[in-house]
Amino acid sequence: MKLNLGCGNAKRAGWVNVDRFAGCAPDQVVDLEVSPWPWADSSVDEVALIHALEHLGATPAAYLGLMGELWRVCAPDARIEIVVPHPRSDSFLNDPTHVRAVTPDGLALFDRALNRQWAAQGAANTPLGLQLGIDFEIESVDYQLVDEWHGRLRRGEIDRAQVADALRHFNNVCGQIAIVLRARKPLR
């Protein structure tokens, strides 16, 4: 099964399109902040959360519950595609329904291998993967630059190191982040 969670009007053919608002005519109306989700354990091979995750989990309990349910329904090696606005972009800041910044570093807290590595180093990172019994590995991260910065990079006016520095210091360098996670679960 493939789930397009928080689909809004962006339906995907061959997927179960899910939203909490019936007005966008999803295949299933589900509030993802309410547990349990209506899908069986380890039943989902692929998940899309395209401009959806930043709208969910205003409280830590709601967000951690959502991540726990995502883990529960994912099959071993399930692929989770997440696209979110960069938290330093106007598109993130201007929408009052955006309740949570989603970043690769924040999602890395759900990676048990990293949790163990941090513990061995005495790092203060919160080991959410170990605490919650879930394990997501970041497979890829793509910072999608806004046109101005992308053009400057393409024309050779700046290099990738300068872009990385700008991402740390300025707003509106990156419009959105595309992140792919994999569910690390033993095969049964």
Side-chain angles (χ1 to χ4, degrees):
M1 177 182 348
K2 296 178 181 182
L3 295 177
N4 182 15
L5 301 178
C7 66
N9 294 314
K11 311 297 187 311
R12 288 183 171 196
W15 293 60
V16 178
N17 296 287
V18 178
D19 206 288
R20 75 174 162 190
F21 298 107
C24 64
D27 300 318
Q28 284 186 268
V29 175
V30 177
D31 184 343
L32 298 173
E33 292 183 319
V34 176
S35 296
W37 289 356
W39 306 288
D41 294 0
S42 300
S43 62
V44 178
D45 297 310
E46 199 163 352
V47 176
L49 283 155
I50 310 303
H51 288 283
L53 195 52
E54 69 274 14
H55 296 274
L56 300 167
T59 67
Y63 184 68
L64 297 178
L66 180 143
M67 293 302 287
E69 281 300 286
L70 181 61
W71 167 253
R72 181 185 67 75
V73 302
C74 279
D77 204 37
R79 181 182 190 272
I80 303 97
E81 175 189 8
I82 298 169
V83 178
V84 292
H86 191 280
R88 287 182 145 178
S89 71
D90 286 349
S91 64
F92 176 77
L93 297 171
N94 292 336
D95 188 335
T97 67
H98 291 166
V99 299
R100 170 169 304 282
V102 179
T103 65
D105 287 345
L107 292 171
L109 298 173
F110 298 99
D111 183 325
R112 287 189 204 172
L114 287 176
N115 293 170
R116 289 185 190 97
Q117 181 181 350
W118 296 331
Q121 296 168 346
N125 305 49
T126 307
L128 293 175
L130 293 172
Q131 290 175 356
L132 301 173
I134 64 179
D135 194 7
F136 291 114
E137 175 184 23
I138 295 177
E139 184 174 281
S140 67
V141 176
D142 180 21
Y143 289 93
Q144 298 171 357
L145 304 179
V146 298
D147 289 343
E148 174 190 349
W149 286 88
H150 179 72
R152 291 177 67 196
L153 179 64
R154 192 183 70 248
R155 290 187 301 272
E157 296 169 9
I158 56 175
D159 61 26
R160 293 207 176 272
Q162 289 169 307
V163 169
D165 187 58
L167 281 168
R168 287 189 298 277
H169 294 98
F170 304 120
N171 288 356
N172 297 310
V173 174
C174 178
Q176 64 183 18
I177 310 168
I179 305 161
V180 175
L181 303 178
R182 286 283 177 185
R184 269 199 217 116
K185 284 184 165 182
L187 297 173
R188 295 179 191 220

